Amino acid sequence: MTDTHCPYCSLQCGMRLTGRRAPEVGEWPEFPVNRGALCRKGWSAAGLYGGRERLTTPLVRDRATGELSPVTWDEALDLVAGRLAALRAERGPDSVAVFGGGGLTNEKAYQLGKLARVALGTSQIDYNGRWCMSSAASAGTRAFGIDRGLPFPLADVEQADVVVLVGSNLAETMPPAARHLDALRARGGKVVVVDPRRTPTANRADVVVQPVPGSDLALALGVLHLLVAGGKVDEEYVAARTTGWDEVRESVAGWWPERVERVTGVPADEVRSLADLLGGAATVMVLTARGAEQHSTGSDTVLAWINVALALGMPGTPGAGYGCLTGQGNGQGGREHGQKADQLPGYRMIDDPAARAHVAGVWGVDPDSLPGKGRSAYELLDALGQPDGPSALLVLGSNIVVSAPRATHVRQRLESLDLLVVADMVLSETAALADVVLPVTQWAEETGTMTNLEGRVILRQRAITPPAGVRSDLDVIAGLASRLGSPVEFATDPETVFEELGRASAGGKADYAGITYDRIRAEHGVFWPCPGPEHPGTPRMFLDSFAHPDGRARFHVVDHRGPAEVPCDDYPVHLTTGRVLAQYQSGAQTRRVRDLPDTGPFVELHPMLAGRIGATDGEPVTVATRRGTMTAPARVVATIRPDTVFVPFHWVGANRLTNDALDPASRMPEFKVCAAAVSA
């Protein structure tokens, strides 16, 4: 029996695996995040093991025929390293790029960043977490001086008087977490859901607000306006623990409820009721997720809701505050240790001389040898094959063809490369385009740490033996580094890598120096920052001060700009995207689990819109945007706004439609809203 964690979302629910050939999932009641509860995906997670589609040998493409053929590991790694070395020699180190994933363990993310900066010497590295957490991370850093998704344990949700979920469908995306909402309501608290769709989460709420997609920021401005007008601002807290309030108070003076109604479509009386609810509660917790963040104004939207929380005096108050519900399994840890274009381990910034000196010292290289800041995720993909862009790309832990915005364009950029290398366990849509495919271990076949949405560092432990011919990503990274003539050695034992990660992160914002595998096992995870072996970890942040040098949180003036695309005569409705209960991310894993229903994509639309275009439930409809089209069965429901259609993004299609407009601060693409046309 092995204590480990679910392979999917950021809850990282604890589970026990039994059996070594055909593993079975069982409860781990002692793990505090889920207390034995699992969603459908978690209970069926053992279905990931085995299967006819599992890759067990490296594959190399013959470009003349287009066929992939099996080769030995030495042949594959020699080929990749030789091609990469030749490109670097001919076009410079930035001709080679690396793309990681928010599902990689901390050890893999750390080594991947080290591979890019030390063995390849390239600045061109980013990861798909840029499309998940970056807007909340940007806002949290600016407001509080540090970014940790939830600065408190998830169970604290139960202690709030009011919880506001902005753009989160918690009941479908992480069902075991929804029990905290039920417990909150059982003790008399209220749940508010802000979402253009009435989701299963909304069905567990007391108040449901359905704004036009892309208008969450305006709603927050209107709520703050009413809190000021009603004398509900905690002036003592604001004076003692924040800066910037006077400017923000003035900036919301013009956002009266009727103006908010014109922008958001939310009736003015509902805006007033929401402000009254928040202003009258002793403790309020605001939680944002991708629905509010995946916009070209996502970081400003988060700042607007943080302003609401600060005005009420909530951040740093037990059972209250602001938090972000991280999406990917290691969405938190994945951005802390070096696979992001502008960061080094420990959440250090790559353009900080002191940060460069510290990390270079741990790595045993000259700080001047480290490259500078590279392109963000979408900008990196957009540059592939261009005259000034990378000619080769190494992909670990990401299915770009399905998950990238404006996906048809991104696929064309991938096809323009001189060399595409993908490490995966199956022939995903991205791996199917690759010149070299490297078969790697998956969950339950390897050990490594993850950092869940609370900032709790947990340990996935190897429970089963991987198939013959499969190697870990750490082995792949080390093999390439050695062949590329790396000046330093790359360890392959995950615990050894984690110990090095601890030294590299020491003194940084995300300090793991005091965390060990043994402590994680003994304590059911350790919260960072944890700067030393005697430190207890930090379950709750900001109780005494914020992470800015003066200890104060920052208000920020933000204003509503709206989406990059608004409906017009040719594209008259809003398109938004999201998840469904049985699938996860690009579906590369879950679509291959037989026990999970794979219904395929669909288009959700309101009966009024269906009637207008002559659509019938279950029959095909076509959605078109300026970037592409897709056809899928209609789901006619009364739970979505009449001016909006919804498409899940787990299958090829949805992201052919989405907009690649970027948030100027976070570089987050605008996945969650664009102008569309729908026809029967």
Side-chain angles (χ1 to χ4, degrees):
M1 182 174 66
T2 303
D3 292 340
T4 190
H5 296 271
C6 180
Y8 298 119
C9 83
S10 65
L11 281 181
Q12 286 301 287
C13 291
M15 58 170 58
R16 286 193 165 123
L17 294 184
T18 55
R20 301 192 66 82
R21 292 197 174 184
E24 294 184 5
V25 174
E27 294 183 4
W28 180 10
E30 296 82 9
F31 187 69
V33 174
N34 60 308
R35 298 290 183 192
L38 294 168
C39 73
R40 180 187 297 180
K41 293 189 290 290
W43 284 119
S44 64
L48 288 171
Y49 185 65
R52 296 179 181 178
E53 295 185 72
R54 186 68 191 274
L55 298 175
T56 57
T57 185
L59 303 172
V60 172
R61 186 179 305 280
D62 181 337
R63 284 211 167 186
T65 65
E67 293 185 4
L68 287 167
S69 301
V71 297
T72 67
W73 269 101
D74 281 340
E75 289 173 327
L77 294 177
D78 287 347
L79 171 63
V80 172
R83 296 276 296 277
L84 295 179
L87 282 170
R88 283 192 311 162
E90 179 185 348
R91 305 178 195 174
D94 280 357
S95 65
V96 175
V98 178
F99 201 92
L104 298 178
T105 63
N106 289 315
E107 293 82 358
K108 295 177 186 179
Y110 172 80
Q111 290 290 69
L112 195 62
K114 183 178 175 182
L115 174 77
R117 275 101 186 197
V118 174
L120 290 168
T122 181
S123 67
Q124 301 300 293
I125 175 172
D126 213 274
Y127 81 126
N128 62 18
R130 176 77 70 170
W131 302 336
C132 175
M133 293 301 304
S134 59
S135 287
S138 171
T141 300
R142 290 156 68 190
F144 305 126
I146 197 168
D147 155 45
R148 198 180 86 183
L150 291 184
F152 40 73
L154 181 64
D156 283 9
V157 167
E158 298 181 15
Q159 305 308 313
D161 289 328
V162 178
V163 169
V164 184
L165 294 168
V166 189
S168 168
N169 184 11
L170 195 70
E172 283 197 281
T173 58
M174 45 183 71
R179 65 194 172 95
H180 296 300
L181 303 180
D182 297 337
L184 165 70
R185 297 180 73 200
R187 50 166 285 272
K190 303 291 185 182
V191 174
V192 178
V193 167
V194 180
D195 197 312
R197 303 167 63 223
R198 191 176 184 96
T199 63
T201 307
N203 293 335
R204 300 168 91 145
D206 301 280
V207 178
V208 180
V209 181
Q210 292 186 264
V212 171
S215 66
D216 297 317
L217 196 163
L219 179 63
L221 297 176
V223 169
L224 188 53
H225 168 96
L226 289 167
L227 293 175
V228 173
K232 300 299 185 181
V233 174
D234 187 337
E235 300 287 357
E236 183 178 347
Y237 173 99
V238 167
R241 301 204 60 186
T242 73
T243 65
W245 168 238
D246 289 342
E247 294 81 4
V248 167
R249 180 176 54 202
E250 293 176 9
S251 72
V252 299
W255 282 95
W256 55 91
E258 288 73 20
R259 182 185 177 193
V260 175
E261 179 176 347
R262 289 199 297 270
V263 173
T264 66
V266 177
D269 286 346
E270 289 189 19
V271 181
R272 291 188 180 94
S273 296
L274 177 57
D276 288 343
L277 178 63
L278 301 188
T283 54
V284 174
M285 186 178 289
V286 178
L287 303 175
T288 65
R290 306 305 80 70
E293 298 159 10
Q294 287 182 322
H295 295 268
S296 60
T297 57
S299 56
D300 281 356
T301 298
V302 175
L303 285 171
W305 285 100
I306 289 175
N307 286 345
V308 170
L310 288 172
L312 291 168
M314 297 299 156
T317 300
Y322 165 79
C324 167
L325 296 168
T326 303
Q328 294 190 74
N330 202 28
Q332 181 69 57
R335 68 184 182 274
E336 296 169 358
H337 298 301
Q339 62 172 336
K340 201 174 175 188
D342 54 355
Q343 289 177 195
L344 289 171
Y347 227 132
R348 290 179 159 92
M349 303 313 293
I350 200 165
D351 53 4
D352 176 0
R356 294 169 65 86
H358 174 84
V359 174
V362 173
W363 286 348
V365 299
D366 184 343
D368 291 338
S369 70
L370 299 179
K373 180 179 176 180
R375 296 176 172 94
S376 72
Y378 183 79
E379 291 166 306
L380 173 58
L381 298 177
D382 189 41
L384 296 177
Q386 306 283 14
D388 62 343
S391 302
L393 181 67
L394 173 62
V395 180
L396 274 72
S398 188
N399 189 9
I400 299 167
V401 169
V402 178
S403 62
R406 198 183 167 198
T408 300
H409 170 73
V410 168
R411 180 187 178 107
Q412 291 168 350
R413 300 273 34 93
L414 292 172
E415 291 173 339
S416 73
L417 289 166
D418 291 348
L419 178 67
L420 175 61
V421 182
V422 176
D424 210 329
M425 66 176 195
V426 294
L427 201 66
S428 68
E429 287 83 355
T430 305
L433 297 180
D435 297 291
V436 181
V437 183
L438 303 174
V440 291
T441 49
Q442 59 150 324
W443 162 85
E445 296 170 356
E446 58 187 5
T447 294
T449 61
M450 309 283 278
T451 305
N452 82 344
L453 79 170
E454 309 165 300
R456 185 195 303 257
V457 184
I458 55 93
L459 182 63
R460 286 186 183 172
Q461 301 193 98
R462 175 169 165 164
I464 52 180
T465 303
V470 171
R471 296 188 181 183
S472 79
D473 297 273
L474 294 179
D475 287 321
V476 171
I477 291 168
L480 288 175
S482 174
R483 288 167 170 81
L484 289 163
S486 170
V488 298
E489 200 169 324
F490 281 66
T492 58
D493 172 64
E495 189 166 7
T496 302
V497 175
F498 188 75
E499 290 169 355
E500 183 182 307
L501 181 159
R503 296 193 301 275
S505 72
K509 290 182 177 180
D511 191 334
Y512 284 32
I515 305 176
T516 64
Y517 277 23
D518 286 342
R519 276 196 69 177
I520 295 171
R521 292 187 184 100
E523 299 173 30
H524 292 148
V526 181
F527 292 87
W528 71 261
C530 182
E534 305 304 318
H535 193 281
T538 312
R540 294 172 182 84
M541 307 178 78
F542 314 142
L543 297 178
D544 300 313
S545 66
F546 295 97
H548 288 296
D550 62 1
R552 291 172 174 263
R554 305 282 193 265
F555 280 97
H556 286 269
V557 174
V558 293
D559 204 2
H560 173 73
R561 300 192 303 276
E565 276 187 1
V566 295
C568 60
D569 289 345
D570 293 331
Y571 300 98
V573 299
H574 303 278
L575 167 69
T576 191
T577 66
R579 302 179 186 177
V580 297
L581 176 63
Q583 299 297 323
Y584 178 70
Q585 299 299 81
S586 75
Q589 295 169 293
T590 48
R591 284 188 277 119
R592 291 172 167 85
V593 175
R594 283 179 295 179
D595 291 339
L596 292 175
D598 183 358
T599 59
F602 58 87
V603 179
E604 186 178 282
L605 68 164
H606 192 275
M608 289 173 60
L609 178 57
R612 198 157 62 240
I613 66 171
T616 304
D617 189 75
E619 294 301 313
V621 294
T622 297
V623 181
T625 70
R626 291 176 173 86
R627 289 153 296 280
T629 63
M630 70 167 286
T631 299
R635 286 194 184 176
V636 181
V637 296
T639 51
I640 191 170
R641 291 180 56 91
D643 57 4
T644 301
V645 296
F646 167 84
V647 176
F649 58 61
H650 309 291
W651 297 269
V652 173
N655 279 320
R656 291 175 178 169
L657 310 175
T658 50
N659 196 353
D660 57 355
L662 301 181
D663 182 298
S666 66
R667 317 311 289 168
M668 168 77 82
E670 192 151 67
F671 287 100
K672 281 294 182 281
V673 61
C674 64
V678 58
S679 57

